[in-house]
Amino acid sequence: MIRLFVSDDLKAGAPIAPGMDASRYLIAVMRLAIGSEVALFNGRDGEWRATVVDADKRRCRLTVGSRIRVQETGPDLTLVVALVKRGRLETIVEKAAELGVARVQPVLTRRTNADKANVERLQAIAVEAAEQTGRLDVPEILPPVKLDKLLDSWDASRRLMFCDETGGAPVLEALSGVEGGPWAILIGPEGGFAPEETERLRGLEYATVVSLGPRILRADTAAISAMTLWQVALGDWLSASTT
Ligand code: SAH
């Protein structure tokens, strides 16, 4: 069944009018007709069956039926990633959504040359990945901030897995016996972190410095590898919501 993310509240009988793009996707691309069923989720109310009740070339309307899945939440994991080239950043966001992060925070570092990210487009990529991957929430894409500023206001109860190609313990070793809870993974730019940045990061009491192996990885590979290893160490769990 096609899964579609919507912003509307979902409850039995609710009418849903998807936007133009979603309507076009359902009707023109997926060839749904009146009576066809889709699955809807909004990140809050679980997943619901819905039926197409009206459709023309541009817009369609759905009616929500019964709930198929209760809402569940994944780990509280943030991917903090330096702005890299657009294509690679888009890959990173897609893979982060697939691998279950809760949010992506792009950062500007001394050696990032890009200073902007198309947050709206990245968010759309995250939505699409969430739809196809079966998760019930969509990772939030935050607007880029400077690394220093981010660290200045960091909540120390969130641990930071600093991926440092200049040396650190292997991830599974570094995280063994460590508690879950709020975490973040930090991946630097293609040029690496500047020495003063590395020094600050290594000195943070909430940081765990890790190595992803003896090879220098590109930022996208490093991000995928780091997220996978973090999930292996601290559990790729889902908790059902009580509501
Ligand atoms: N300084 C590098 C490349 C940086 S790779 C150079 O020689 O140009 C981009 C980012 O990926 C790094 O900042 C780091 O966060 C991560 N990374 C790549 N390989 C890694 C490894 N083997 N261990 C830990 N982190 C790694």
Side-chain angles (χ1 to χ4, degrees):
M1 195 154 37
I2 293 167
R3 300 183 80 238
L4 188 69
F5 176 80
V6 294
S7 53
D8 312 65
D9 288 337
L10 294 172
K11 54 177 190 285
I16 305 288
M20 296 265 257
D21 286 348
S23 291
R24 196 173 324 118
Y25 170 71
L26 295 177
I27 304 305
V29 182
M30 300 314 293
R31 304 258 163 221
L32 296 191
I34 291 171
S36 300
E37 287 194 325
V38 297
L40 301 180
F41 66 109
N42 61 6
R44 307 182 297 275
D45 301 322
E47 185 163 311
W48 296 72
R49 202 184 293 279
T51 309
V52 178
V53 289
D54 192 15
D56 60 29
K57 283 210 177 67
R58 314 177 104 233
R59 293 308 278 260
C60 69
R61 286 194 303 115
L62 305 160
T63 300
V64 179
S66 57
R67 183 150 74 170
I68 318 166
R69 286 167 68 193
V70 296
Q71 185 63 35
E72 56 198 19
T73 325
D76 182 0
L77 176 61
T78 306
L79 175 67
V80 181
V81 61
L83 281 183
V84 291
K85 274 207 201 113
R86 202 185 66 167
R88 282 191 200 279
L89 190 60
E90 292 180 358
T91 303
I92 290 171
V93 165
E94 181 184 274
K95 303 312 166 200
E98 291 176 31
L99 290 167
V101 311
R103 64 198 73 74
V104 179
Q105 171 67 75
V107 283
L108 304 160
T109 68
R110 305 278 150 89
R111 292 183 186 158
T112 39
N113 23 35
D115 60 356
K116 275 199 280 292
N118 186 341
V119 175
E120 218 176 290
R121 181 168 160 74
L122 294 173
Q123 188 65 67
I125 288 170
V127 167
E128 216 172 285
E131 286 171 343
Q132 77 81 34
T133 212
R135 62 187 280 176
L136 289 178
D137 58 347
V138 172
E140 184 184 7
I141 313 300
L142 299 163
V145 291
K146 287 201 161 121
L147 177 64
D148 281 330
K149 215 171 144 203
L150 181 73
L151 296 178
D152 288 346
S153 60
W154 193 269
D155 171 2
S157 67
R158 181 179 297 281
R159 304 231 21 121
L160 181 66
M161 180 169 113
F162 167 35
C163 298
D164 185 358
E165 73 283 7
T166 68
V171 179
L172 295 184
E173 200 174 288
L175 298 187
S176 103
V178 169
E179 297 279 303
W183 268 87
I185 291 171
L186 174 63
I187 302 290
E190 293 296 352
F193 289 104
E196 62 271 30
E197 290 172 325
T198 303
E199 199 183 327
R200 179 173 186 191
L201 288 163
R202 283 178 166 269
L204 298 169
E205 46 89 14
Y206 52 80
T208 302
V209 187
V210 300
S211 162
L212 299 169
R215 291 160 297 273
I216 293 176
L217 308 174
R218 287 215 180 244
D220 47 356
T221 321
I224 293 166
S225 167
M227 291 183 285
T228 307
L229 288 165
W230 185 91
Q231 294 282 29
V232 171
L234 294 181
D236 197 349
W237 45 266
L238 292 171
S239 54
S241 149
T242 44
T243 54

